[in-house]
Amino acid sequence: MDYAATGQEALSRIAEASDLETLEALRVEFLGKQGSISGLLKTLGKLDPEERKVEGPKIHALRESVSDALAARKDVLETAALNARLASETIDLSLPAPEAPRGTVHPISQVMDEIAEIFADLGFSVATGPEIEDDWHNFTALNMPESHPARAMHDTFYFPDRDAQNREMLLRTHTSPVQMRTMLKDGAPLRIIAPGRVYRSDSDATHTPMFHQVEGLVIDKDVHLGHLKWTLETFLKAFFEREDIVLRLRPSYFPFTEPSVEADIGFTLIDGKRVIGGDPSKGEGGWMEVLGSGMVNRRVIEFAGLDPNEWQGFAFGIGIDRLAMLKYGMDDLRAFFDGDVRWLSHYGFSALDVPTLSGGVGTPA
Ligand code: DAH
Protein backbone atom coordinates (compact mmCIF):
# COMPACT_ATOMS: atom_id res chain seq x y z
CA MET A 1 0.00 0.00 0.00
CA ASP A 2 1.13 3.57 -0.68
CA TYR A 3 0.74 5.98 2.21
CA ALA A 4 2.06 9.03 0.37
CA ALA A 5 -1.40 10.57 -0.11
CA THR A 6 -2.33 10.02 3.54
CA GLY A 7 0.98 11.59 4.60
CA GLN A 8 0.61 14.56 2.25
CA GLU A 9 -2.84 15.35 3.53
CA ALA A 10 -1.79 15.08 7.17
CA LEU A 11 1.26 17.31 6.66
CA SER A 12 -0.66 20.00 4.88
CA ARG A 13 -3.38 20.08 7.51
CA ILE A 14 -0.71 20.37 10.21
CA ALA A 15 0.98 23.23 8.35
CA GLU A 16 -2.35 25.04 8.18
CA ALA A 17 -3.20 24.65 11.88
CA SER A 18 -3.42 28.23 13.12
CA ASP A 19 -3.50 27.67 16.90
CA LEU A 20 -2.43 25.18 19.52
CA GLU A 21 -5.92 23.74 20.10
CA THR A 22 -6.37 22.89 16.44
CA LEU A 23 -2.93 21.30 16.42
CA GLU A 24 -3.76 19.20 19.47
CA ALA A 25 -6.98 18.02 17.79
CA LEU A 26 -4.92 16.90 14.79
CA ARG A 27 -2.47 15.04 17.02
CA VAL A 28 -5.37 13.13 18.54
CA GLU A 29 -6.88 12.50 15.11
CA PHE A 30 -3.65 10.98 13.73
CA LEU A 31 -1.66 9.64 16.66
CA GLY A 32 -4.16 9.35 19.53
CA LYS A 33 -5.25 5.94 20.79
CA GLN A 34 -8.10 5.88 18.25
CA GLY A 35 -6.10 7.88 15.69
CA SER A 36 -5.91 6.95 12.02
CA ILE A 37 -2.16 6.29 11.97
CA SER A 38 -2.34 4.40 15.25
CA GLY A 39 -5.05 2.34 13.51
CA LEU A 40 -2.66 1.53 10.67
CA LEU A 41 -0.04 0.39 13.15
CA LYS A 42 -2.54 -1.98 14.68
CA THR A 43 -3.14 -3.67 11.30
CA LEU A 44 0.50 -4.81 11.26
CA GLY A 45 -0.21 -7.56 13.77
CA LYS A 46 -2.65 -9.21 11.41
CA LEU A 47 -0.29 -9.28 8.43
CA ASP A 48 1.88 -12.24 7.62
CA PRO A 49 5.65 -11.78 8.26
CA GLU A 50 6.57 -11.02 4.63
CA GLU A 51 3.94 -8.32 4.25
CA ARG A 52 4.85 -6.91 7.64
CA LYS A 53 8.47 -6.50 6.52
CA VAL A 54 7.28 -4.35 3.64
CA GLU A 55 4.44 -2.41 5.31
CA GLY A 56 6.04 -1.95 8.73
CA PRO A 57 8.75 0.53 7.80
CA LYS A 58 6.34 2.53 5.63
CA ILE A 59 3.80 2.97 8.42
CA HIS A 60 6.51 3.81 10.93
CA ALA A 61 8.01 6.35 8.53
CA LEU A 62 4.57 7.92 8.08
CA ARG A 63 4.06 8.06 11.82
CA GLU A 64 7.46 9.63 12.31
CA SER A 65 7.00 12.31 9.66
CA VAL A 66 3.58 13.27 11.08
CA SER A 67 4.92 13.38 14.64
CA ASP A 68 7.91 15.52 13.55
CA ALA A 69 5.61 17.88 11.70
CA LEU A 70 3.37 18.20 14.76
CA ALA A 71 6.36 19.03 16.99
CA ALA A 72 7.75 21.58 14.54
CA ARG A 73 4.37 23.29 14.14
CA LYS A 74 3.87 23.32 17.91
CA ASP A 75 7.18 25.12 18.32
CA VAL A 76 6.20 27.78 15.81
CA LEU A 77 2.76 28.35 17.35
CA GLU A 78 4.13 28.52 20.91
CA THR A 79 6.77 31.07 19.98
CA ALA A 80 4.13 33.16 18.24
CA ALA A 81 1.82 32.96 21.29
CA LEU A 82 4.64 34.00 23.63
CA ASN A 83 5.59 36.96 21.44
CA ALA A 84 1.97 38.09 21.32
CA ARG A 85 1.74 37.92 25.13
CA LEU A 86 4.98 39.81 25.62
CA ALA A 87 3.75 42.51 23.28
CA SER A 88 0.42 42.90 25.08
CA GLU A 89 1.71 42.73 28.67
CA THR A 90 4.38 45.39 28.75
CA ILE A 91 4.76 47.24 32.07
CA ASP A 92 5.75 50.87 32.29
CA LEU A 93 7.95 50.92 35.38
CA SER A 94 8.06 54.70 35.38
CA LEU A 95 4.32 54.99 36.21
CA PRO A 96 3.54 56.34 39.73
CA ALA A 97 2.42 53.88 42.45
CA PRO A 98 -1.38 53.46 42.68
CA GLU A 99 -3.29 55.62 45.20
CA ALA A 100 -5.25 52.74 46.67
CA PRO A 101 -5.18 50.46 48.54
CA ARG A 102 -3.18 52.36 51.12
CA GLY A 103 -2.73 51.02 54.65
CA THR A 104 -2.15 53.15 57.75
CA VAL A 105 -0.51 52.60 61.11
CA HIS A 106 -3.16 52.30 63.84
CA PRO A 107 -3.07 55.18 66.36
CA ILE A 108 -2.43 52.68 69.18
CA SER A 109 0.66 51.33 67.41
CA GLN A 110 1.78 54.86 66.69
CA VAL A 111 1.35 55.95 70.30
CA MET A 112 3.22 52.85 71.53
CA ASP A 113 6.10 53.78 69.22
CA GLU A 114 6.01 57.37 70.47
CA ILE A 115 6.12 56.17 74.10
CA ALA A 116 9.02 53.80 73.38
CA GLU A 117 10.90 56.62 71.65
CA ILE A 118 10.49 59.02 74.57
CA PHE A 119 11.48 56.48 77.20
CA ALA A 120 14.40 55.22 75.12
CA ASP A 121 15.76 58.75 75.34
CA LEU A 122 15.49 58.49 79.14
CA GLY A 123 17.48 55.25 79.12
CA PHE A 124 14.57 52.78 79.32
CA SER A 125 14.51 49.61 77.23
CA VAL A 126 11.38 47.77 76.11
CA ALA A 127 10.48 44.51 77.89
CA THR A 128 7.71 42.07 77.00
CA GLY A 129 5.78 39.28 78.68
CA PRO A 130 3.07 36.79 77.73
CA GLU A 131 -0.60 37.79 77.41
CA ILE A 132 -1.55 34.34 78.68
CA GLU A 133 -0.21 34.61 82.23
CA ASP A 134 -0.29 32.54 85.35
CA ASP A 135 -1.95 33.65 88.52
CA TRP A 136 1.39 33.89 90.36
CA HIS A 137 2.95 36.52 88.05
CA ASN A 138 -0.29 38.45 87.55
CA PHE A 139 -1.36 38.55 91.21
CA THR A 140 0.52 36.68 93.93
CA ALA A 141 4.01 38.00 93.20
CA LEU A 142 2.54 41.51 93.00
CA ASN A 143 1.46 41.19 96.62
CA MET A 144 -2.06 40.03 95.88
CA PRO A 145 -2.45 36.64 97.59
CA GLU A 146 -5.46 34.50 96.77
CA SER A 147 -7.81 36.13 99.24
CA HIS A 148 -6.80 39.68 98.33
CA PRO A 149 -9.84 41.93 97.58
CA ALA A 150 -7.95 43.73 94.77
CA ARG A 151 -8.15 40.52 92.72
CA ALA A 152 -11.91 40.83 92.54
CA MET A 153 -11.59 44.28 90.99
CA HIS A 154 -9.73 42.93 87.97
CA ASP A 155 -12.67 41.09 86.30
CA THR A 156 -10.25 38.40 85.23
CA PHE A 157 -10.71 36.03 82.30
CA TYR A 158 -9.60 32.64 83.62
CA PHE A 159 -8.76 29.55 81.58
CA PRO A 160 -10.47 26.27 82.50
CA ASP A 161 -7.15 24.38 82.83
CA ARG A 162 -4.17 24.93 85.10
CA ASP A 163 -0.53 24.82 83.96
CA ALA A 164 2.09 22.13 84.73
CA GLN A 165 2.84 23.75 88.13
CA ASN A 166 -0.86 23.67 88.94
CA ARG A 167 -1.09 27.46 88.60
CA GLU A 168 -4.36 29.02 87.56
CA MET A 169 -4.00 30.47 84.01
CA LEU A 170 -5.54 33.74 82.87
CA LEU A 171 -5.35 36.58 80.38
CA ARG A 172 -3.17 39.17 82.06
CA THR A 173 -5.29 41.93 83.57
CA HIS A 174 -2.44 44.47 83.51
CA THR A 175 1.13 44.81 82.26
CA SER A 176 2.47 44.70 85.84
CA PRO A 177 3.45 40.98 85.67
CA VAL A 178 6.19 42.05 83.23
CA GLN A 179 7.79 43.85 86.21
CA MET A 180 8.22 40.53 87.98
CA ARG A 181 9.32 38.63 84.89
CA THR A 182 11.99 41.20 84.06
CA MET A 183 13.35 41.42 87.61
CA LEU A 184 13.56 37.62 87.82
CA LYS A 185 15.32 37.45 84.45
CA ASP A 186 17.64 40.46 84.57
CA GLY A 187 18.00 41.31 88.26
CA ALA A 188 18.90 44.88 89.26
CA PRO A 189 19.51 47.69 88.40
CA LEU A 190 16.75 47.97 85.83
CA ARG A 191 14.97 50.58 83.71
CA ILE A 192 12.22 49.25 81.47
CA ILE A 193 8.86 49.96 79.94
CA ALA A 194 6.48 47.19 78.90
CA PRO A 195 3.73 48.16 76.47
CA GLY A 196 1.08 45.64 75.48
CA ARG A 197 -2.45 44.25 75.50
CA VAL A 198 -4.36 43.52 78.69
CA TYR A 199 -7.78 41.94 79.23
CA ARG A 200 -10.69 42.40 81.59
CA SER A 201 -14.23 41.15 81.45
CA ASP A 202 -15.68 44.62 81.19
CA SER A 203 -17.41 46.31 78.29
CA ASP A 204 -19.21 49.64 77.87
CA ALA A 205 -18.65 52.99 76.15
CA THR A 206 -15.40 53.60 78.02
CA HIS A 207 -14.22 50.00 78.59
CA THR A 208 -13.33 47.28 76.10
CA PRO A 209 -12.48 43.70 77.13
CA MET A 210 -9.04 44.16 75.56
CA PHE A 211 -7.14 47.40 76.00
CA HIS A 212 -3.56 48.64 76.17
CA GLN A 213 -1.22 49.66 78.94
CA VAL A 214 2.40 50.58 79.27
CA GLU A 215 4.18 49.57 82.43
CA GLY A 216 7.28 51.31 83.70
CA LEU A 217 9.79 50.04 86.21
CA VAL A 218 12.99 51.48 87.61
CA ILE A 219 15.00 49.52 90.16
CA ASP A 220 18.19 51.02 91.53
CA LYS A 221 19.79 52.31 94.72
CA ASP A 222 18.57 55.52 96.37
CA VAL A 223 15.53 55.91 94.13
CA HIS A 224 12.78 58.11 95.57
CA LEU A 225 9.41 59.63 94.80
CA GLY A 226 11.03 62.74 93.30
CA HIS A 227 12.54 60.60 90.53
CA LEU A 228 9.08 59.21 89.80
CA LYS A 229 7.48 62.65 89.59
CA TRP A 230 10.22 64.02 87.33
CA THR A 231 10.04 60.99 85.04
CA LEU A 232 6.25 61.20 84.65
CA GLU A 233 6.31 64.94 84.05
CA THR A 234 9.14 64.69 81.54
CA PHE A 235 7.34 61.90 79.71
CA LEU A 236 3.98 63.70 79.55
CA LYS A 237 5.57 66.94 78.33
CA ALA A 238 7.37 65.09 75.55
CA PHE A 239 4.28 63.05 74.67
CA PHE A 240 1.86 65.97 74.43
CA GLU A 241 4.60 68.18 73.03
CA ARG A 242 3.93 71.06 75.38
CA GLU A 243 5.74 72.53 78.33
CA ASP A 244 2.69 73.68 80.30
CA ILE A 245 1.69 70.18 81.45
CA VAL A 246 0.56 70.27 85.07
CA LEU A 247 0.53 67.06 87.05
CA ARG A 248 -1.41 66.42 90.25
CA LEU A 249 -0.35 63.49 92.39
CA ARG A 250 -2.97 61.97 94.69
CA PRO A 251 -2.37 59.35 97.36
CA SER A 252 -3.86 56.04 96.34
CA TYR A 253 -3.56 52.32 96.93
CA PHE A 254 -2.08 49.51 94.83
CA PRO A 255 -0.92 46.29 96.48
CA PHE A 256 2.39 46.34 94.59
CA THR A 257 3.43 49.90 95.49
CA GLU A 258 3.92 51.69 98.81
CA PRO A 259 3.28 54.55 98.87
CA SER A 260 0.95 54.57 95.86
CA VAL A 261 0.14 57.59 93.77
CA GLU A 262 -2.41 58.31 91.10
CA ALA A 263 -1.57 61.08 88.67
CA ASP A 264 -4.01 63.49 87.07
CA ILE A 265 -3.15 65.73 84.17
CA GLY A 266 -4.60 69.23 83.89
CA PHE A 267 -6.76 70.26 80.95
CA THR A 268 -8.26 73.58 79.96
CA LEU A 269 -11.44 74.26 78.06
CA ILE A 270 -11.03 75.87 74.66
CA ASP A 271 -14.32 76.46 72.80
CA GLY A 272 -15.88 73.85 75.09
CA LYS A 273 -13.27 71.25 74.12
CA ARG A 274 -10.85 69.70 76.58
CA VAL A 275 -7.27 70.52 75.69
CA ILE A 276 -4.38 68.97 77.63
CA GLY A 277 -2.18 71.54 79.32
CA GLY A 278 -2.50 74.53 81.59
CA ASP A 279 -3.29 74.73 85.27
CA PRO A 280 -6.97 74.03 86.04
CA SER A 281 -6.65 75.63 89.46
CA LYS A 282 -6.05 78.98 87.70
CA GLY A 283 -9.06 78.95 85.41
CA GLU A 284 -11.59 76.81 83.64
CA GLY A 285 -10.78 73.18 83.10
CA GLY A 286 -10.19 70.13 85.25
CA TRP A 287 -8.14 67.07 86.03
CA MET A 288 -8.05 63.82 84.16
CA GLU A 289 -6.67 60.66 85.69
CA VAL A 290 -4.00 59.16 83.43
CA LEU A 291 -1.95 56.69 85.42
CA GLY A 292 -1.23 54.74 88.58
CA SER A 293 2.21 54.60 90.14
CA GLY A 294 4.23 54.41 93.30
CA MET A 295 7.36 53.15 94.98
CA VAL A 296 7.74 49.41 94.44
CA ASN A 297 6.50 47.53 97.51
CA ARG A 298 9.26 45.78 99.50
CA ARG A 299 7.30 42.53 99.25
CA VAL A 300 7.44 42.69 95.44
CA ILE A 301 11.20 43.21 95.52
CA GLU A 302 11.48 40.18 97.79
CA PHE A 303 9.30 38.09 95.48
CA ALA A 304 11.76 39.00 92.71
CA GLY A 305 14.60 37.56 94.78
CA LEU A 306 16.22 40.95 95.50
CA ASP A 307 17.14 42.49 98.84
CA PRO A 308 14.73 45.40 99.53
CA ASN A 309 17.27 46.97 101.87
CA GLU A 310 19.62 47.31 98.93
CA TRP A 311 17.24 47.95 96.03
CA GLN A 312 14.29 50.29 95.67
CA GLY A 313 12.39 51.56 92.74
CA PHE A 314 9.31 53.11 91.30
CA ALA A 315 6.71 51.77 88.91
CA PHE A 316 3.86 53.16 86.87
CA GLY A 317 1.04 51.89 84.67
CA ILE A 318 -0.49 54.08 81.98
CA GLY A 319 -3.60 53.42 79.89
CA ILE A 320 -2.46 53.83 76.30
CA ASP A 321 -5.90 54.02 74.69
CA ARG A 322 -6.94 56.94 76.87
CA LEU A 323 -3.66 58.73 76.15
CA ALA A 324 -4.09 58.25 72.40
CA MET A 325 -7.65 59.61 72.56
CA LEU A 326 -6.52 62.69 74.50
CA LYS A 327 -3.68 63.43 72.12
CA TYR A 328 -5.39 62.84 68.80
CA GLY A 329 -8.92 63.93 69.67
CA MET A 330 -10.83 60.68 69.30
CA ASP A 331 -13.87 60.45 71.54
CA ASP A 332 -15.09 56.86 71.15
CA LEU A 333 -12.86 54.11 72.48
CA ARG A 334 -14.78 51.40 70.66
CA ALA A 335 -13.84 52.81 67.24
CA PHE A 336 -10.26 51.72 67.99
CA PHE A 337 -11.28 48.11 67.59
CA ASP A 338 -13.93 48.30 64.83
CA GLY A 339 -11.45 48.01 61.97
CA ASP A 340 -13.45 50.57 59.95
CA VAL A 341 -11.27 51.52 56.96
CA ARG A 342 -12.66 55.06 56.84
CA TRP A 343 -11.81 55.63 60.50
CA LEU A 344 -8.36 54.11 60.00
CA SER A 345 -7.56 56.23 56.99
CA HIS A 346 -8.68 59.34 58.89
CA TYR A 347 -6.92 58.68 62.20
CA GLY A 348 -4.15 56.35 61.01
CA PHE A 349 -0.55 57.31 60.40
CA SER A 350 1.70 56.85 57.42
CA ALA A 351 4.11 53.93 57.76
CA LEU A 352 6.87 56.43 56.98
CA ASP A 353 5.90 58.68 59.87
CA VAL A 354 8.28 57.12 62.39
CA PRO A 355 8.21 59.03 65.69
CA THR A 356 11.54 60.62 66.61
CA LEU A 357 12.34 63.12 69.32
CA SER A 358 14.09 65.41 66.87
CA GLY A 359 11.29 65.30 64.31
CA GLY A 360 8.40 65.46 66.80
CA VAL A 361 6.96 62.29 68.27
CA GLY A 362 3.49 62.68 66.88
CA THR A 363 2.87 64.51 63.66
CA PRO A 364 -0.36 63.18 62.14
CA ALA A 365 -0.11 61.77 58.60
N1 DAH B 1 -1.51 47.66 87.26
C1 DAH B 1 -2.36 48.76 87.62
C2 DAH B 1 -3.70 48.61 86.91
O1 DAH B 1 -3.78 47.98 85.91
C3 DAH B 1 -1.74 50.06 87.19
C4 DAH B 1 -0.53 50.38 87.99
C5 DAH B 1 -0.60 51.10 89.15
C6 DAH B 1 0.73 49.95 87.56
C7 DAH B 1 0.50 51.40 89.90
C8 DAH B 1 1.86 50.24 88.30
C9 DAH B 1 1.73 50.99 89.48
O2 DAH B 1 3.08 49.86 87.93
O3 DAH B 1 2.84 51.28 90.19
O4 DAH B 1 -4.66 49.13 87.38
Side-chain angles (χ1 to χ4, degrees):
M1 219 179 131
D2 184 8
Y3 301 105
T6 317
Q8 273 308 319
E9 196 214 324
L11 295 186
S12 75
R13 285 180 62 199
I14 288 169
E16 279 161 22
S18 58
D19 55 63
L20 288 162
E21 287 93 83
T22 312
L23 193 68
E24 174 61 10
L26 289 175
R27 188 192 66 76
V28 172
E29 181 181 334
F30 302 137
L31 304 180
K33 260 198 189 138
Q34 315 287 331
S36 53
I37 295 173
S38 311
L40 289 174
L41 281 168
K42 280 179 208 155
T43 61
L44 283 176
K46 293 183 200 111
L47 299 178
D48 58 53
E50 282 309 309
E51 278 177 310
R52 199 183 301 148
K53 251 188 210 161
V54 181
E55 298 299 316
K58 288 195 214 161
I59 299 177
H60 277 292
L62 171 64
R63 200 190 90 93
E64 206 151 301
S65 72
V66 167
S67 133
D68 286 351
L70 282 167
R73 186 67 189 152
K74 193 172 179 213
D75 242 17
V76 170
L77 290 176
E78 275 178 350
T79 308
L82 179 64
N83 285 337
R85 237 185 99 188
L86 285 173
S88 70
E89 290 183 6
T90 49
I91 302 172
D92 184 351
L93 292 173
S94 67
L95 287 174
E99 259 299 306
R102 177 171 161 264
T104 57
V105 175
H106 195 285
I108 296 288
S109 305
Q110 177 76 15
V111 164
M112 282 194 184
D113 288 348
E114 293 174 15
I115 293 172
E117 173 70 13
I118 294 166
F119 278 107
D121 194 53
L122 299 176
F124 287 65
S125 54
V126 172
T128 54
E131 289 171 28
I132 296 174
E133 253 305 357
D134 59 69
D135 157 282
W136 188 83
H137 286 94
N138 195 82
F139 291 128
T140 310
L142 294 171
N143 197 28
M144 279 182 269
E146 237 154 79
S147 57
H148 201 286
R151 281 194 179 209
M153 290 163 55
H154 278 226
D155 298 311
T156 312
F157 286 113
Y158 286 99
F159 286 90
D161 299 324
R162 291 172 172 252
D163 75 350
Q165 285 128 333
N166 201 31
R167 286 173 182 172
E168 194 126 43
M169 299 302 288
L170 45 83
L171 289 175
R172 68 178 180 193
T173 57
H174 51 177
T175 44
S176 302
V178 186
Q179 288 189 25
M180 188 51 57
R181 288 190 173 273
T182 314
M183 280 190 280
L184 287 169
K185 187 162 74 70
D186 297 338
L190 203 61
R191 220 185 285 181
I192 56 123
I193 57 163
R197 297 191 179 104
V198 300
Y199 302 84
R200 290 186 200 178
S201 174
D202 195 358
S203 187
D204 59 35
T206 54
H207 297 88
T208 48
M210 187 277 288
F211 56 105
H212 301 84
Q213 289 186 337
V214 59
E215 195 77 13
L217 176 69
V218 171
I219 299 286
D220 213 320
K221 294 175 178 173
D222 307 319
V223 180
H224 55 72
L225 211 57
H227 294 125
L228 169 62
K229 184 164 191 260
W230 180 87
T231 304
L232 295 176
E233 244 166 32
T234 303
F235 162 67
L236 289 166
K237 281 178 182 171
F239 181 76
F240 287 106
E241 295 180 270
R242 42 195 305 166
E243 275 301 309
D244 63 345
I245 296 288
V246 182
L247 214 56
R248 182 175 75 174
L249 301 185
R250 279 182 292 109
S252 182
Y253 172 76
F254 299 102
F256 31 90
T257 44
E258 180 59 36
S260 301
V261 171
E262 269 176 306
D264 302 329
I265 189 170
F267 66 85
T268 36
L269 284 178
I270 295 178
D271 297 333
K273 275 203 87 165
R274 294 175 168 196
V275 177
I276 293 299
D279 188 348
S281 59
K282 292 196 183 115
E284 253 191 306
W287 299 101
M288 228 176 302
E289 184 191 323
V290 286
L291 59 91
S293 64
M295 301 306 293
V296 181
N297 193 305
R298 291 175 61 88
R299 305 255 303 142
V300 173
I301 298 201
E302 277 168 10
F303 268 117
L306 298 171
D307 178 359
N309 292 324
E310 188 182 0
W311 301 102
Q312 311 84 46
F314 64 79
F316 53 86
I318 310 176
I320 291 182
D321 312 79
R322 162 72 79 83
L323 227 51
M325 289 167 75
L326 287 176
K327 181 164 177 180
Y328 293 115
M330 293 155 281
D331 48 18
D332 188 356
L333 174 67
R334 289 169 294 190
F336 275 136
F337 310 111
D338 282 345
D340 184 326
V341 182
R342 289 161 303 175
W343 187 91
L344 287 168
S345 68
H346 182 77
Y347 287 111
F349 291 79
S350 157
L352 301 175
D353 193 19
V354 179
T356 61
L357 284 175
S358 54
V361 281
T363 318

